[in-house]
Amino acid sequence: MAPFVDLVYPPRCPACGEGTGEQGGLCVTCWSDLAIPGNPSCALCQRPFGDSGPAEGAICAPCLGNPPVHDGIAAGTLYTDTSRKLVLALKHGRRIALAPLLARLIAARIVSCEEERLLIPVPLHRWRLWHRGFNQAALLARELEKSGHGLLTVDGLVRTKRTPSLGGMGAKARARALAGAIAVRRPDAVKGRHILLVDDILTSGATSTACVKALKRAGAKSVVIACFARVLDEALDHAR
């Protein structure tokens, strides 16, 4: 059916609308705008250093000043204009067919683990889930499960209260807004397990930190954050 589908719906880049060679692919211009993190990078948060930076195994200044509670970040891309368009198309444009593409980029950055991981998406409050109709993080986690990166536990975390938009808030205000907002639904299911916490975009890290803390309190052995886009403007040149 692929040739017929291509005839009726010619392949277009989901980020800019230009013609492409196949359905679901990006055009050359948009691919070149993606910033893929590489090595050497921070041993704790995988912040790329660039070729002129410290050697592999070094720790970046932000992690030295404020050690993270997570056990690593697997980011498919850094936040650029193209990655922003893809996230918005998935989340607000309801183009859920983009989930496999975004998940493949995440999967390329995940370091293997000897034990099976649980894939737990960052939760939405039930009213936001009802309004949107889906949790984009859960869609990405489902695709990661298909590619063999763990066992999906879609209800591993629950958002117990609605929280305001965290944009523009300081660190203390974000922490207050998220206090008590994230809970583990079944602590016995995560105790002693390795976790991949899946989300579409990592900005300030306030929500993911609240999720990691909840999972660690429930006894999780490790929690690695797996996201499609990570906001690290100062590292864009090193990733490109």
Side-chain angles (χ1 to χ4, degrees), residues 34-35 37 73-80 82-96 98-107 120-124 128 132 134-142 144 159 196-205 207-208 211 224-232:
L34 291 180
I73 298 175
T77 69
L78 300 188
Y79 194 71
T80 62
T82 296
S83 60
R84 178 185 64 84
K85 290 177 181 177
L86 293 172
V87 167
L88 292 178
L90 171 66
K91 186 187 306 188
H92 300 300
R94 301 178 180 273
R95 299 180 64 177
I96 62 176
L98 289 174
L101 169 64
L102 274 58
R104 285 196 298 271
L105 289 168
I106 298 173
I120 298 181
V122 171
L124 293 179
R128 184 167 294 178
R132 185 173 297 165
F134 61 92
N135 180 353
Q136 69 280 357
L139 295 180
L140 296 173
R142 183 178 65 182
L144 291 174
R159 195 177 288 255
L196 271 179
L197 178 68
V198 183
D199 205 0
D200 56 339
I201 182 170
L202 181 65
T203 50
S204 68
T207 301
S208 60
C211 293
V224 172
I225 301 169
C227 62
F228 168 65
R230 180 184 182 187
V231 177
L232 270 181

Side-chain angles (χ1 to χ4, degrees), residues 105-183:
L105 289 168
I106 298 173
R109 298 292 300 162
I110 295 175
V111 178
S112 61
C113 180
E114 293 183 358
E115 299 180 36
E116 184 183 52
R117 288 183 169 116
L118 295 182
L119 292 160
I120 298 181
V122 171
L124 293 179
H125 187 268
R126 61 182 181 274
W127 289 112
R128 184 167 294 178
L129 181 61
W130 175 82
H131 176 74
R132 185 173 297 165
F134 61 92
N135 180 353
Q136 69 280 357
L139 295 180
L140 296 173
R142 183 178 65 182
E143 295 300 325
L144 291 174
E145 182 186 44
K146 291 179 181 178
S147 59
H149 287 282
L151 177 65
L152 176 59
T153 306
V154 71
D155 60 346
L157 290 171
V158 60
R159 195 177 288 255
T160 58
K161 69 177 185 180
R162 298 181 69 178
T163 54
S165 173
L166 303 181
M169 290 187 180
K172 291 183 178 179
R174 291 193 296 266
R176 286 195 298 268
L178 287 164
I182 306 291

Side-chain angles (χ1 to χ4, degrees), residues 11-28 30-31 34 86 95 97-98 101 104:
R12 297 285 181 181
C13 174
C16 71
E18 289 294 319
T20 59
E22 61 180 10
Q23 299 287 351
L26 295 176
C27 69
V28 173
C30 289
W31 268 118
L34 291 180
L86 293 172
R95 299 180 64 177
L98 289 174
L101 169 64
R104 285 196 298 271

Side-chain angles (χ1 to χ4, degrees), residues 42 44-45 47 49 59-68 230 232 234:
C42 173
L44 293 182
C45 78
R47 177 189 298 266
F49 290 138
I59 298 175
C60 68
C63 287
L64 285 173
N66 185 23
R230 180 184 182 187
L232 270 181
E234 69 277 13

